[in-house]
Amino acid sequence: MRAQDSATATTTITVTTADRTGGTVRAVPTGSAESTVRAPTGATARTRSARNTAATDTSGSRTDPLPRGTLLAALGVLSFSLTFPSTVWGLESFGPWSLVAVRSTLAALVAGAFLLVGRVPLPERRHWAGLAVVACGVVIGFPLLTTLALQTSTTSHAAVVVGLLPLTTAAFAALRTRRRPSRTFWCAAVSGAVVVLAFTVQQSGGAVSQGDVYLFGALLVCAAGYTEGGRLARLMPGWHVIGWALILCLPLMAVGSAVALSVEPVHLNAHGVIGLVWVAVGSTFFGLYVWYRGMASIGIPKASQLQLAQPLLTLVWSVALLGETLPLAAPLAAVAVLVCIAVTQRAKS
């Protein structure tokens, strides 16, 4: 080390260190702005990398904490559990075709208002095919087929389709996303579906009717719509998914409403109006919004298993709103279903 006597002279200090973290150490003049050089430690580098990874999701999706996603999906199930009783109320005032067309039209108008106020841009071209599947499955197919079924079936009998829906949705999701849930997951899912199916079929006598054909078709189209909607909800907000699916159906449903209302008789009463409003705004718009948001957060297979509780909730609403008798086996079935739900939520998918 050499220093000059001048007060303004520059002192050069050469330091050699072994940097185990991969940082760069340079020899600089003392007193300069770069006189202190700190190489990032391994922990600091890892922390910065983790922060950058958390800030930017390469898949383009937002992931919520598990409890929030579960809560959103559960709210969707609660909304859906009121669909069948509300449909029965709606059929007091409207014919089946009128009820389906008008509910979809009203829901589309609500969704369009939200999209307009939020200045939401049109979806990318690659998303329209998926939105068409959602529209055909959950906006048109499921409401129409279940409404036709409820003309001859009770709500407790119609609940069989909801009992099988989680398993069907999980199967569609496995095929669509090429993911394979664990064996424990499938065992619990199948067990829950068997419990719900045995409970509802036993209560209805197990007879196969035209209503059952409608319900089976509703099961398939709804599972496809749920799966595609859950996939799209990872790429855009959940309310955008159902909003654009409803808008896609608006021209057809508006024309259908005009035709159906002119053909089918209308007898307005309080039950009919309340039922129509709920299936339009509560089930179709709000329910599907929180449902798709929940599926995007916790995954389609796990979210679908929460629907195992939906038939039992529907039975409760049927007693409270329609005056039907609650079977004595319901509490036992409820406990068994809740156990299956707990297992599927803990199983790795």
Side-chain angles (χ1 to χ4, degrees):
M1 178 173 63
R2 184 183 64 182
Q4 297 180 2
D5 293 334
S6 172
T8 59
T10 301
T11 302
T12 303
I13 302 177
T14 303
V15 181
T16 303
T17 62
D19 181 21
R20 292 178 293 180
T21 64
T24 302
V25 178
R26 295 185 290 114
V28 297
T30 59
S32 67
E34 298 180 0
S35 58
T36 303
V37 179
R38 296 179 60 187
T41 63
T44 302
R46 288 191 297 271
T47 300
R48 291 177 179 174
S49 176
R51 288 176 179 174
N52 292 336
T53 302
T56 304
D57 186 352
T58 56
S59 65
S61 62
R62 296 179 59 188
T63 303
D64 293 331
L66 177 61
R68 183 186 177 190
T70 302
L71 176 61
L72 290 173
L75 283 175
V77 171
L78 180 61
S79 300
F80 298 152
S81 69
L82 282 161
T83 300
F84 287 170
S86 298
T87 300
V88 172
W89 273 11
L91 287 172
E92 293 182 14
S93 296
F94 303 93
W97 295 91
S98 299
L99 182 61
V100 173
V102 173
R103 71 179 275 186
S104 298
T105 301
L106 291 178
L109 293 176
V110 173
F114 276 90
L115 293 170
L116 185 62
V117 171
R119 297 182 179 180
V120 178
L122 288 172
E124 298 179 22
R125 182 178 299 179
R126 61 192 178 96
H127 296 327
W128 281 109
L131 290 171
V133 174
V134 175
C136 292
V138 302
V139 177
I140 299 177
F142 186 80
L144 177 60
L145 293 172
T146 54
T147 300
L148 293 173
L150 285 171
Q151 291 187 105
T152 56
S153 300
T154 63
T155 55
S156 59
H157 184 80
V160 67
V161 70
V162 181
L164 292 177
L165 188 56
L167 182 59
T168 309
T169 303
F172 267 81
L175 294 174
R176 182 67 176 86
T177 62
R178 298 182 180 180
R179 293 181 180 178
R180 299 295 182 267
S182 66
R183 184 175 300 177
T184 301
F185 177 93
W186 281 116
C187 289
V190 172
S191 299
V194 168
V195 169
V196 174
L197 179 61
F199 174 75
T200 54
V201 170
Q202 186 272 332
Q203 294 300 316
S204 64
V208 178
S209 64
Q210 186 177 11
D212 293 315
V213 176
Y214 287 140
L215 292 172
F216 182 73
L219 170 70
L220 296 178
V221 298
C222 189
Y226 278 174
T227 300
E228 197 63 22
R231 184 189 68 84
L232 289 173
R234 291 181 175 271
L235 306 175
M236 64 179 73
W239 72 278
H240 289 192
V241 176
I242 185 57
W244 288 116
L246 286 166
I247 294 298
L248 194 61
C249 297
L250 180 57
L252 176 62
M253 291 295 99
V255 174
S257 297
V259 173
L261 288 173
S262 66
V263 175
E264 295 179 332
V266 177
H267 305 287
L268 293 180
N269 59 32
H271 280 180
V273 174
I274 293 173
L276 171 62
V277 171
W278 178 258
V279 293
V281 180
S283 300
T284 305
F285 182 72
F286 174 76
L288 288 173
Y289 160 62
V290 294
W291 175 243
Y292 285 143
R293 193 69 185 90
M295 281 198 296
S297 176
I298 65 177
I300 297 173
K302 283 189 175 182
S304 68
Q305 301 315 303
L306 292 174
Q307 282 194 307
L308 289 171
Q310 187 173 327
L312 303 179
L313 289 172
T314 300
L315 291 177
V316 173
W317 295 124
S318 299
V319 172
L321 301 177
L322 304 177
E324 294 185 4
T325 303
L326 183 65
L328 295 177
L332 294 178
V335 172
V337 167
L338 290 176
V339 170
C340 293
I341 291 176
V343 173
T344 57
Q345 291 299 295
R346 292 179 177 273
K348 182 179 180 181
S349 61

